[in-house]
Amino acid sequence: MKIETIAIHTGNLIDPATGAAIQPITLSTTFERGEDGGYPSGYMYTRAGNPNRSSLENLLSKLEGGVDASVFSSGNAAGGAVFQALDSGSHVIAPTDMYHGLRNLLNVVYKNILQVSYVDMSDLDALRTAIKDDTKLIWVETPSNPLLKITDIEAIAKIAKEYQITLCCDNTFATPVFQNPLNLGADLVMHSTTKYLGGHSDALGGAIVTKEKNALWKKIRDIQELSGAVLSPFDCYLTVRGIKTLPYRMRGHQDNAQQLSKFLESHQEVERVFYPGFGGMLSFLLKGGSEQARKVANSTKLFTQATSLGGVESLIEHRASIEGPDTKTPRNLLRVSVGLENIDDLIEDIAVAITESQGL
Ligand SMILES: Cc1ncc(COP(=O)(O)O)c(C=O)c1O
């Protein structure tokens, strides 16, 4: 089956009791036991498992070409489950431009629990040099945030295999439509389903998909069930619903982002555009510095000035100010999540905002 068909059918179950063509939301937290004390439905208690969660996990696993998936109450909870599954004292190698929320999770919560080295993942020699005897996890995020740098997953997977290190890829920006890290040699894929998968900026969630059901996977599953940061049945339902249109939405995001990047590249007030050529995320630098960038973000009418990404509506953000004082993000950078509005309207909106910001 091709991705459009998987996206529509794999997460759906026709309800045997009513014939409802769309799977109902099972809000019940508990499930009836049989006479023998067993659970005929296969479900016992919603923290351990729920029909809507099973549907979403099955769908994500098929979309990424994995064998199983676990969904969590946020992307950070999903990433955190991988960190928590490591033995304490393990060494982790993460990218220098890792999503700042996950970097903060490692730096603050895992400060005395894991050792972390940050490496420029485009420099394979630097990666090799950073590997230690107790390195247990290499984390990559590609395209990266907010500079949209590309990492060679296949090359890093070869190094990870050589040293028997688990490789996990944050695939939030690319989505399974543009990139399947498991097929390129990664062991785990992480998603903030809050973004393109949900697609409508109304359901927080996260997922880990695995290539193999091994001991690490068993631990991640235990963390999901026993720590209990699970995704609610309603949010599972919304995410399954959002994914049905994912392949078509991603084409629209990409078309719009390609056109917007061309417009920005030719604009005299723009110093540089970062766009990898695919997907719906881009960022750009303004010649007029931080003040001009803030003014543009404050002036657009269709692009909402807000963090996050991946919804049908366009968002614009002065990234350095949300990442905090230790950020390395240029102060004149604006990050854009290009939505599905008509591209002529989007270009006009940003063109007017840049004109209004000139000469500040
Ligand atoms: C690339 C990336 N990874 C992970 C996350 C964390 O996801 P969540 O906000 O759902 O916890 C985000 C959120 O912005 C993200 O952009």
Side-chain angles (χ1 to χ4, degrees), residues 72-79 97-102 139 141-145 170-174 190-195 203-207 281 307-309 317 319 335:
F72 294 84
S73 52
S74 70
N76 261 34
D97 52 353
M98 184 181 206
Y99 163 63
H100 74 110
L102 284 170
W139 187 274
E141 180 184 328
T142 177
S144 74
N145 186 6
D170 183 338
N171 204 25
T172 300
F173 274 32
M190 181 251 149
H191 278 284
S192 166
T193 60
T194 317
K195 317 299 181 190
L204 194 77
M281 293 300 297
T307 195
S308 201
L309 62 119
E317 183 180 29
R319 197 66 198 159
R335 190 186 81 173

Side-chain angles (χ1 to χ4, degrees), residues 103 117 145 220 331:
R103 191 179 61 219
S117 305
N145 186 6
I220 291 170
R331 302 247 147 221

